[in-house]
Amino acid sequence: TFDSKKVWIKEETERIEVINEGDKKVAYTLFDPNRKIIKTVEFEKGLEELKNQASKAKNMIDRYDAILALEDYPLDDKFDFLISQYYEEPFHGVRAEIVSQLMIDPSKLTDDQLKNIVNDKHQRVRESAIKHIDVVSEEMRPLFEKLLTDSSYAVVEKALYKLSAQHPEHVARYLELTKNDYGRGNYVKVAWLEIAAGIDLEKHLPQLIDMTSQSYEFLTRVNAMRVLERLNHLDDKVIANLVDAILNPNRRLSGPAASTLK
């Protein structure tokens, strides 16, 4: 059962009472269900109340808020609940947040649980898995390597960076697998070039520099700028491309270009 009350807030401070007839045990409480009002709220809730809200609330955003609040609790206190909720939750955004917390210690997951997460039907969940796992162990490596051929370029990019950094002995194979991938804003290609430049800078640097020019759309240019900044490379061509970008009316291009030049 549930009780609800709708009121107008007229004063700076008001006290609202919801009568609990029959003195029933309260599973959880919502202020402004489904987040319909623009507001800032401080509402402390205990572990059990958050679990109840995450598993029973009708609206997705109320379940998401509860899962997000569980982030402050130790994994041991919520692990079993998060696993069961992962399988019950229909919305990918909530599952992605659950996975981000489970990846704090993936060793707690069974092989089947880890496989289900890495093979989740939605790319946001798969992306969350590779993004939030700190260490891809040798035992987990073959499973996460499958993400290098994922249908989502965002997943491929994150998998390429993480696997190459943690398993450098396999970098040549990872680059071969992804050499023809590009993605929106050339995210995968730029990541590929950055990693390949670590092996042969002279060979791959010219293409990265060219990607900062007006021959490419702004997302590619920004991605390439950030890589050149990480590589600490600046020459006359890069300066010319950055100045051109700074003069562009698109602030999403001119802002990062100015930051990179500085």
Side-chain angles (χ1 to χ4, degrees):
T1 63
F2 71 92
D3 295 310
S4 64
K5 192 171 188 177
K6 181 182 285 189
V7 297
W8 285 104
I9 304 297
K10 299 177 182 178
E11 305 298 332
E12 182 175 350
T13 301
E14 290 201 23
R15 177 183 178 90
I16 309 300
E17 293 187 359
V18 180
I19 305 301
N20 180 10
E21 295 183 3
D23 197 26
K24 293 171 285 191
K25 182 179 179 180
V26 178
Y28 66 97
T29 308
L30 292 174
F31 175 74
D32 182 28
N34 209 24
R35 276 205 214 164
K36 295 180 179 179
I37 302 169
I38 298 175
K39 63 194 181 300
T40 300
V41 175
E42 293 180 14
F43 195 157
E44 292 186 12
K45 298 180 181 182
L47 179 61
E48 291 306 312
E49 185 173 6
L50 289 171
K51 287 180 179 180
N52 286 327
Q53 181 176 327
S55 60
K56 299 176 181 178
K58 177 179 67 174
N59 300 304
M60 174 279 295
I61 196 64
D62 297 327
R63 300 194 303 274
Y64 176 81
D65 284 344
I67 294 293
L68 200 61
L70 285 173
E71 189 176 21
D72 296 332
Y73 288 87
L75 185 58
D76 286 343
D77 293 348
K78 61 188 178 182
F79 178 81
D80 291 339
F81 172 77
L82 289 178
I83 282 294
S84 65
Q85 209 50 37
Y86 168 79
Y87 288 106
E88 293 292 329
E89 175 55 51
F91 185 68
H92 64 267
V94 182
R95 292 203 310 279
E97 177 57 32
I98 290 171
V99 166
S100 75
Q101 296 182 37
L102 289 172
M103 287 297 120
I104 292 172
D105 187 0
S107 65
K108 292 181 178 292
L109 296 164
T110 66
D111 289 345
D112 285 342
Q113 289 168 346
L114 193 58
K115 285 178 182 177
N116 285 330
I117 289 171
V118 175
N119 294 308
D120 192 277
K121 62 184 179 181
H122 201 281
Q123 64 95 2
R124 280 274 304 277
V125 181
R126 303 192 299 275
E127 184 180 350
S128 181
I130 188 63
K131 177 181 178 180
H132 291 100
I133 189 171
D134 288 332
V135 178
V136 180
S137 67
E138 184 61 29
E139 293 74 24
M140 296 177 186
R141 178 180 58 79
L143 179 62
F144 279 89
E145 283 179 347
K146 293 179 180 178
L147 296 179
L148 292 170
T149 57
D150 197 87
S151 58
S152 164
Y153 287 122
V155 174
V156 173
E157 180 218 13
K158 287 178 175 58
L160 182 59
Y161 270 128
K162 186 150 289 185
L163 289 168
S164 296
Q166 297 192 11
H167 298 279
E169 68 277 13
H170 297 290
V171 165
R173 181 163 57 86
Y174 298 156
L175 292 176
E176 181 64 25
L177 273 173
T178 55
K179 65 181 180 180
N180 296 319
D181 292 340
Y182 290 85
R184 178 175 176 266
N186 281 296
Y187 278 101
V188 178
K189 193 61 180 179
V190 171
W192 191 97
L193 287 167
E194 180 177 7
I195 295 165
I199 300 172
D200 190 341
L201 181 63
E202 186 176 346
K203 179 179 179 180
H204 299 291
L205 188 60
Q207 189 172 355
L208 277 169
I209 294 172
D210 186 50
M211 282 182 159
T212 64
S213 74
Q214 58 183 238
S215 298
Y216 291 84
E217 39 69 46
F218 82 95
L219 284 176
T220 298
R221 297 180 74 178
V222 171
N223 291 334
M225 288 173 197
R226 287 170 177 162
V227 168
L228 289 174
E229 186 175 347
R230 289 196 291 270
L231 294 175
N232 197 29
H233 179 82
L234 188 69
D235 60 24
D236 289 346
K237 285 186 177 179
V238 177
I239 291 172
N241 290 341
L242 290 175
V243 171
D244 174 82
I246 289 170
L247 298 175
N248 194 287
N250 183 349
R251 292 184 180 180
R252 293 174 66 188
L253 173 61
S254 60
S259 175
T260 300
L261 190 57
K262 287 179 183 179

